[in-house]
């Protein structure tokens, strides 16, 4: 029995999300309807594709075999669409970017807004999560990361370096002991990441400074920056975020400075996708320019 592309599209979503509710959200389809479609697909193929449990849907051996073939069909479909002749210089459709919340909050909104201005028919989605994105499961079309992955069928492009320094609000500094050296940090309240929730070694800023206790901690950069802005304590802040924090200034800039990099991660199968490649080019150029602009204002 031959399956059509729509059957495979629904199957891929369930296989990747591992639940009907998760796949339903991706597909904008009722989970009960999706469950019936999967049941009909199994009946048509005369094969059990999933082991169903309260925890979700797990692929059987037959399901894993179909997954391999479905992903080949998906790549072929993507490449076929990508190679169609362009009828317009403008981008259209939907593109989803996964990013850590520092870049998602302080860089991507204005960069993507500028791209959207030039491409009115383009829908851009930014998924801001403090974790590494799984492009193989198609959680996003591309992702920004703070370190280059070494596994998986991925294409990695270094976007730009960025810089970080200690920062504190004028209010906090006015009421607290003076800070002249890094040793003085022992007498101050520090803001940073929850140690056991740091998803990338490149984000472990405070341990690089020999600091082990973090009285005010969050897995979110935005929460950390708001703590700093509200006078909660001293923390490491991206230079590009400082212009968005009135009343906050960098400290000990001549003694403590960190440099990191942003990387654009794409699935290897998308290299021939002209639409995604054009968007990636505009995104990387915009991010480089915006980091440079904001760091000059810090």
């Amino acid at each position: 029995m031959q399956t059509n592309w729509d059957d495979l599209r629904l199957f891929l979503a369930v296989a990747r999300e591992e639940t009907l509710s998760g796949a339903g959200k991706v597909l904008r389809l009722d989970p009960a309807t999706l469950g019936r479609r999967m049941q009909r697909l199994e009946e048509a193929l005369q094969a059990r594709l999933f082991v169903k449990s309260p925890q979700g849907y797990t692929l059987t051996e037959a399901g894993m075999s179909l997954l391999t073939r479905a992903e080949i069909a998906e790549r072929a479909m993507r490449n076929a669409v990508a190679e169609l002749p362009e009828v317009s210089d403008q981008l259209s459709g939907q593109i989803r970017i996964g990013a850590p919340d520092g870049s998602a909050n302080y860089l991507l909104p204005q960069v993507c807004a500028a791209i959207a201005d030039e491409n009115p028919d383009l829908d851009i989605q930014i998924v801001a999560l403090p974790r590494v994105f799984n492009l193989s499961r198609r959680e996003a079309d591309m992702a920004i990361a703070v370190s280059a992955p070494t596994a998986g069928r991925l294409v990695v492009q270094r976007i730009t370096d960025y810089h970080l320094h200690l920062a504190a609000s004028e209010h906090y500094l006015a009421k607290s002991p003076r800070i002249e050296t890094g040793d003085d940090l022992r007498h101050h309240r520090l803001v940073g990441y929850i140690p056991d929730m740091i998803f990338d070694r490149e984000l472990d800023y405070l341990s690089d400074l020999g600091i082990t206790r973090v009285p005010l901690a969050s897995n979110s950069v935005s929460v950390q920056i708001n703590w700093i802005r509200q006078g909660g304590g001293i923390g490491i802040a991206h230079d590009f975020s400082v212009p968005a924090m009135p009343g906050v200034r960098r400290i000990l800039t001549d003694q403590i400075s960190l440099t990191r990099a942003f990387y654009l991660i794409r699935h290897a199968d998308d290299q021939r996708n002209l639409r995604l490649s054009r968007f990636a080019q505009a995104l990387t150029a915009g991010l480089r320019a915006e980091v440079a602009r904001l760091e000059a204002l810090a």
Side-chain angles (χ1 to χ4, degrees), residues 133 135-136 149-156 265-269 271:
F133 278 79
L135 294 186
S136 296
T150 56
R153 299 188 63 253
L154 303 171
V155 177
V156 182
I265 316 299
R266 297 178 59 192
H267 199 283
D269 295 329
Q271 289 186 88

Side-chain angles (χ1 to χ4, degrees), residues 167-227:
S169 71
E170 297 287 0
H171 172 68
Y172 177 86
L173 294 172
K175 69 177 183 179
S176 305
R178 293 185 62 182
I179 307 172
E180 296 180 344
T181 70
D183 290 338
D184 294 335
L185 295 175
R186 294 175 300 165
H187 308 296
H188 290 266
R189 189 164 53 210
L190 276 299
V191 176
Y193 279 101
I194 300 171
D196 62 355
M197 296 186 72
I198 296 175
F199 66 91
D200 193 301
R201 173 66 183 82
E202 294 296 323
L203 301 177
D204 198 4
Y205 310 131
L206 295 181
S207 69
D208 286 353
L209 305 180
I211 296 170
T212 56
R213 179 171 177 253
V214 187
L216 296 180
S218 174
N219 67 328
S220 166
V221 168
S222 296
V223 173
Q224 294 173 36
I225 285 177
N226 274 305
W227 255 330

Side-chain angles (χ1 to χ4, degrees), residues 62-101:
M64 290 296 296
S65 178
L66 181 60
L67 177 64
T68 300
R69 289 163 174 76
E71 289 183 330
I72 292 173
E74 180 185 47
R75 289 195 292 271
M77 181 71 72
R78 282 174 172 265
N79 289 336
V81 172
E83 291 174 1
L84 290 173
E86 292 282 344
V87 297
S88 170
D89 290 335
Q90 294 186 340
L91 296 171
S92 61
Q94 175 185 294
I95 294 178
R96 177 177 293 178
I97 313 163
D101 64 339

Side-chain angles (χ1 to χ4, degrees), residues 25-172:
K25 289 179 181 178
V26 172
L27 298 167
R28 297 181 180 179
L29 191 65
D30 177 65
T33 301
L34 188 54
R36 289 193 294 271
R37 290 288 298 271
M38 290 302 97
Q39 183 178 353
R40 288 204 297 267
L41 179 60
E42 288 182 323
E43 292 171 354
L45 294 175
Q46 297 183 346
R48 192 180 184 192
L49 302 176
F50 299 99
V51 175
K52 306 167 185 72
S53 72
Q55 288 71 43
Y57 277 45
T58 303
L59 288 172
T60 63
E61 185 175 349
M64 290 296 296
S65 178
L66 181 60
L67 177 64
T68 300
R69 289 163 174 76
E71 289 183 330
I72 292 173
E74 180 185 47
R75 289 195 292 271
M77 181 71 72
R78 282 174 172 265
N79 289 336
V81 172
E83 291 174 1
L84 290 173
E86 292 282 344
V87 297
S88 170
D89 290 335
Q90 294 186 340
L91 296 171
S92 61
Q94 175 185 294
I95 294 178
R96 177 177 293 178
I97 313 163
D101 64 339
S103 59
N105 278 285
Y106 297 99
L107 295 172
L108 284 177
Q110 59 268 40
V111 171
C112 290
I115 296 174
D117 285 344
E118 297 180 358
N119 301 275
D121 294 326
L122 179 65
D123 296 337
I124 304 174
Q125 299 180 346
I126 300 173
V127 182
L129 290 176
R131 64 172 173 82
V132 176
F133 278 79
N134 189 332
L135 294 186
S136 296
R137 291 180 58 186
R138 297 296 176 180
E139 292 183 331
D141 294 299
M142 59 189 69
I144 294 171
V146 294
S147 63
T150 56
R153 299 188 63 253
L154 303 171
V155 177
V156 182
Q157 177 185 358
R158 190 186 188 97
I159 301 174
T160 186
D161 287 345
Y162 62 95
H163 303 90
L164 309 100
H165 291 89
L166 289 167
S169 71
E170 297 287 0
H171 172 68
Y172 177 86

